[in-house]
Amino acid sequence: MEKVLTSKELRKGMKARVATVEEGEDPCTRLMELGLIPGTEFSVTKVAPLGDPIEIEMRGYKLCLRRTETECLRFVELP
Amino acid sequence: MSNSLKTPVPAGRPKTHKPTIALVGNPNAGKTSLFNALTGARQKIGNYPGVTVEKISGDFTHEGDTFEVIDVPGLYSMTPVSNDETVAVKVLEGDPEPPKLVVYVLDASNLERNLFLFSQLAETHTNVVVALTLTDVLDKEGARLDLAKLSSHLGCEVVPVIAHKGIGVEALKEAMARALASPDELELDVGFPKVVMDAADRVVDHMNRRGVALGRREARCVLLDEQCTTSERFRGIPELWAVIEEERQTVLGASGQGRTLDAQARYAWAAKVKKDSITPPVERRRSGTEKIDYFLTHRVFGLLFFLGVMYAVFQSIYTLAGPLMDVIDAGKSAVADFVRPMLDGTPVLQSLVVDGIIEGVGSVIIFLPQIIILFFFISVLEGTGYLARAAFLMDRLLGWCGLNGRAFIPLLSSFACAIPGVMSARVMPDERSRIMTVLVAPLMSCSARLPVYVLLIGAVIEPRYGAAWAGFSLFAMHFVGLAVAIPVVLILNKGVFKGKRLPFMLELPKYQWPRWRDVFLTITSRAKVFLVTAGTIIFAMSVLIWALLYFPRGDNPRYEREYSSLSAARQETVSLEQFQELRQREESILGRFGKAIEPAFAPAGFDWRLTTAILAAFPAREVVVPAMGILFGTGGDVDEADEGLVSAIQRSQWPDGRPLMTPWTAMSLMVFFALCCQCMATLAAIKRETNSWKWAAFAFVYMTTLAYVFSVAIQQIGRLVS
């Protein structure tokens, strides 16, 4: 069984896949509209000097998000 | 809906009626550049009713026909979260009237996400032309684009445009004219799973049998999204709702995650379109932007560079604006001197024009250089892409209390002057953060507060405690506003603003040279907005304040008798004219009011002179030093370094002989100035930016209350301690 990660555990340079999305919370619908849906693969391209926000690359574009606002997502790390 | 209430347009409408074209797309898709290329300088900036969202529209002419283009706020989806997005969706849904044509601005370098919104839009809008932007980025990366395939997938005309170079703009205009002349029928189907569409068909059948009209698309929407607007039609009717609930079960099972299904179907379609129409480069090179970003978002170099940039920006505002402000000031005096003799025969009119209008409006226009310079830097930083990096770096610092990284520029600008600070809050995409930033920006210690600090520290703190403490006090005064702003934001965030919070989202665009044309347009439009405000609201308030200080006219013979009974030493310090002016102001409406409310300010340690100076400074706090000069009897022509005023303040006493200006009173007065909203231009800017007097009034009331409470607290603590 793969280890499930939260957004707090994402590190710079890590490749990961969205495992689950918990619908219903406010920012979550928006995250899905931006392309973060189960199965989306991404890599963590930047972490701000103070640890948050982070920048991820997915679906051919890059997006900065706060770790605290992506709590409805779970990830699995990709090799 | 609102259309049905309107009187129908008479047949054979005049040919002058311009068809409206809505420019729609994701944020950063190049919408504004395209809008500028289409309309040039023929732009109108207004506000959508009731919200702070700006309505930007403009005209262009093509082969003799004039068209109106609306630059709709950037959207990520048709499910709005913020007010800006709600406005955008409303425009598309036909409020006040449906656009005749939608130009969808599609970022070729970010096709998948840009197609998500397109897939939603194309379900309700049939007349669409796609303007494909940023194809030059694809070329640079070495990707190949198949325009014909893209166009056939999207089912409408696709015109590649590189707006800032003018490439494709004419072709787009032609495509727009064609689409307006013969509207196309666009029916996009992204291919939802069969199980969803079968269930939707069953719901449609069921509803139709019961005589309820329902489309397939609406049925799908209801099944996948409980919040769908169509759901409201059925929620109140238990037997119909039960049917929907049952089918929802069939489609979604126990998870109930319909939006996930919806997004997955759309993104699957988008990914397929992208795969078919773009051939990716053989190898992906590390782009120049990534190399630059390695340093500019680095945890050490990035922060150092950021501090350097900010220092350079504000240092240049300070040094460049100064001489220009002097020029405007000289111009103001010249105009006053020119006008004054022409009105010699009518003293009331002369005073109204010279002291009221020229002085009032002039003292606001003096901020124009700061605004122009600040917006020059903001639009250059935005144009290069660095502004987004600054927000990325600063977000954590500002985010914890409810602001976000983008608030950095407005707040920092406000240390120079709150007016450009408030105006630059528009860099924030959502209304909630924007209003919050606008409301706390005036708490930052602007340069107009400096003279008060220098005067009081020089008169009271430095002689007693030495230069080190004087320097520290000056430094501390600049932090008072910042420190108070944090709890204010926390309270606003929890108490005043309710409802949905927009997640912080930010894209770091590719670095590029700023487009000077866009920089120029930004500066001119901001300057115009500011001057219009100065010419209307501030003009009116100047006249009001002038009247309150001018009427009733004083009793000059009586003042002269009073003057002659003064001691000779006193007469040395103040001339008859100054004394008459002082007494007249004292007995003016505003002066009487100052005396009347003196008891209210007594707990803060202010006598009627300080109280009146504070009242006189409400339109603009710069006035306070000259006002104190008048009130303390050294004449209005003083500055904060004036020896006479410093010693007059040091010697001033209450009627019972107690010294007026104790260190505690000085501190209390400085804190009052630090927190109080004494600037009608800022209030006018808040009104302009929030599109409501409500927020201007709110800012005024909360800041003035805080100022009063804090200064009373300081004075009372001082009394207990000593």
Side-chain angles (χ1 to χ4, degrees), chain B residues 23 26 28-39 43 56 71-72 74 105 163 518 521-522:
Chain B
L23 221 53
N26 277 186
N28 302 318
K31 229 158 36 65
T32 303
S33 263
L34 179 58
F35 179 75
N36 288 345
L38 283 172
T39 61
Q43 303 180 356
I56 301 174
D71 187 7
V72 178
V105 183
D518 291 346
L521 283 173
T522 306

Side-chain angles (χ1 to χ4, degrees), chain A residues 23 29-30 33 64 66 69, chain B residues 259-260 267 395 504 506:
Chain A
E23 264 186 43
T29 308
R30 180 44 54 91
E33 291 165 344
C64 303
R66 286 180 184 160
E69 289 173 348
Chain B
R259 286 183 185 169
T260 311
Y267 268 106
D395 183 61
F504 173 75
L506 182 68

